[in-house]
């Protein structure tokens, strides 16, 4: 069953057409990696999936609910999606534990006890057991990003969206974050991942999507799109990043 169905998605900023008709289906449990040059619309696509950007036209359906339907309760629908950004986006004035419990309590109405129990489970999952009382500034970038992943997981999302989650990290910290993402994929989480980590895409993705100029140029299994691309634009891009 498809968890995400996107059809005919268009988005412009003024006269700049950033998404020019995107169709994408993500099946439950699948990992879809989106690759492509800077400015090709990858982040805008992810932001349209959870309506951080309002599409100009086209449809976004998540878990059977059309998010682009004007009558839908968007805050409620958005809860099905966890999002992890390049820049961590933790609340720097809150402890790690409070970062993980605040939305659980305010948005999902969980008790403090329950929220803390779930937070601790997720911190353990990302290798941060025992860091509940730390402030974000006391963590490395990789630890902060893993805390951000744990925070998103604590909301019980149906889908995790990742926008270049390792791009801001020192190289030696990238592996731990990718390891956590790989474990999530192995557990069956549905994931939409914008990344420049070609090895991750090759090994973990069910589908790789190459975007350029606001369109999907090529999509398919990694062995095809990364291993044997049919489009010249894909080959040119890969020659630059591989
Ligand atoms: P990518 O993530 O592939 O690098 P983006 O989706 O971030 O690409 O951006 C695609 C294009 O849209 C870029 O030219 C960018 O400058 C432009 N853009 C993105 N967000 C906005 C915005 N909020 N307002 C105006 N232009 C934007
Ligand atoms: Mg981007």
């Amino acid at each position: 069953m498809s968890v995400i169905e996107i059809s005919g998605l268009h988005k412009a900023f003024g006269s700049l057409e950033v998404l020019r008709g995107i169709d994408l289906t993500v099946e439950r449990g699948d990992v879809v990696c989106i690759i492509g040059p800077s400015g090709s619309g990858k982040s805008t696509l992810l932001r349209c999936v959870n309506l951080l950007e309002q599409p100009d036209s086209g449809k976004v359906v998540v878990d059977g609910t059309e998010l682009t339907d004007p009558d839908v309760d968007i805050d409620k629908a958005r809860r099905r999606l966890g999002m992890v950004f390049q820049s961590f986006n933790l609340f720097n004035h809150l402890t790690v534990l409070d970062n993980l419990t605040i939305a659980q309590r305010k948005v999902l109405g969980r008790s403090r006890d329950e929220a803390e129990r779930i937070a601790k489970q997720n911190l353990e999952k990302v290798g941060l057991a025992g860091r509940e009382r730390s402030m974000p500034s006391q963590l490395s970038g990789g630890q902060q990003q893993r805390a951000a992943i744990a925070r998103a997981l604590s909301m019980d999302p149906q889908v995790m969206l990742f926008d270049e989650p390792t791009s801001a990290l020192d190289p030696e910290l990238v592996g731990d974050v990718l390891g956590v993402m790989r474990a999530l994929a192995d557990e069956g989480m549905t994931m939409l991942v914008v990344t420049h980590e070609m090895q991750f895409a090759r090994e973990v993705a069910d589908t790789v999507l190459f975007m350029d100029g606001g369109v999907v140029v090529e999509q398919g299994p990694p062995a095809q799109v990364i291993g044997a691309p049919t489009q010249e634009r894909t080959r040119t891009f890969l020659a630059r990043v591989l």
Side-chain angles (χ1 to χ4, degrees):
M1 186 196 149
S2 338
V3 182
I4 299 181
E5 281 175 50
I6 296 169
S7 51
L9 191 66
H10 284 259
K11 176 69 184 176
F13 295 108
S15 60
L16 181 66
E17 282 189 73
V18 175
L19 300 179
R20 299 187 295 138
I22 302 281
D23 300 307
L24 168 65
T25 302
V26 183
E27 304 296 330
R28 193 172 297 284
D30 270 7
V31 176
V32 175
C33 285
I34 302 172
I35 62 173
S38 177
S40 56
K42 306 181 300 294
S43 294
T44 304
L45 173 58
L46 274 201
R47 294 169 62 81
C48 281
V49 173
N50 63 5
L51 260 63
L52 288 175
E53 295 289 356
Q54 183 70 46
D56 296 332
S57 62
K59 242 174 146 179
V60 176
V61 179
V62 175
D63 212 16
T65 301
E66 187 190 338
L67 269 60
T68 35
D69 175 346
D71 295 330
V72 88
D73 179 345
I74 186 64
D75 289 324
K76 203 168 167 207
R78 210 183 256 143
R79 283 177 215 160
R80 298 173 195 184
L81 299 154
M83 177 117 183
V84 174
F85 301 87
Q86 184 175 337
S87 50
F88 325 143
N89 294 13
L90 293 172
F91 301 114
N92 286 315
H93 62 292
L94 296 179
T95 63
V96 167
L97 188 64
D98 288 344
N99 263 282
L100 268 68
T101 55
I102 189 165
Q104 292 190 64
R105 297 177 63 198
K106 293 200 167 160
V107 178
L108 303 181
R110 288 179 181 156
S111 68
R112 177 187 290 275
D113 277 358
E114 189 187 12
E116 291 191 350
R117 183 178 56 77
I118 291 167
K120 285 176 182 168
Q121 277 173 5
N122 284 306
L123 284 173
E124 188 170 343
K125 185 180 257 187
V126 301
L128 289 176
R131 300 310 298 263
E132 290 83 359
R133 301 287 156 212
S134 300
M135 298 304 285
S137 61
Q138 297 172 307
L139 303 180
S140 73
Q143 289 170 329
Q144 289 187 49
Q145 190 60 298
R146 285 185 279 137
I149 294 171
R151 178 176 61 179
L153 291 175
S154 296
M155 302 296 283
D156 293 335
Q158 298 290 307
V159 181
M160 287 286 285
L161 308 175
F162 292 89
D163 192 359
E164 297 195 31
T166 59
S167 292
L169 299 177
D170 291 332
E172 75 274 20
L173 304 177
V174 168
D176 287 343
V177 172
L178 293 179
V180 165
M181 292 168 64
R182 193 182 288 256
L184 266 185
D186 287 344
E187 276 179 22
M189 177 62 79
T190 308
M191 297 169 39
L192 196 49
V193 184
V194 175
T195 187
H196 293 295
E197 296 290 338
M198 291 302 143
Q199 195 179 337
F200 177 85
R202 230 186 241 275
E203 293 173 8
V204 182
D206 296 288
T207 299
V208 173
L209 207 118
F210 172 68
M211 275 181 75
D212 194 13
V215 297
V216 177
V217 173
E218 188 160 358
Q219 67 173 305
Q224 180 189 316
V225 176
I226 300 176
T230 61
Q231 302 298 308
E232 190 53 42
R233 277 196 279 177
T234 317
R235 283 198 284 266
T236 306
F237 172 75
L238 289 171
R240 269 189 274 126
V241 299
L242 284 178

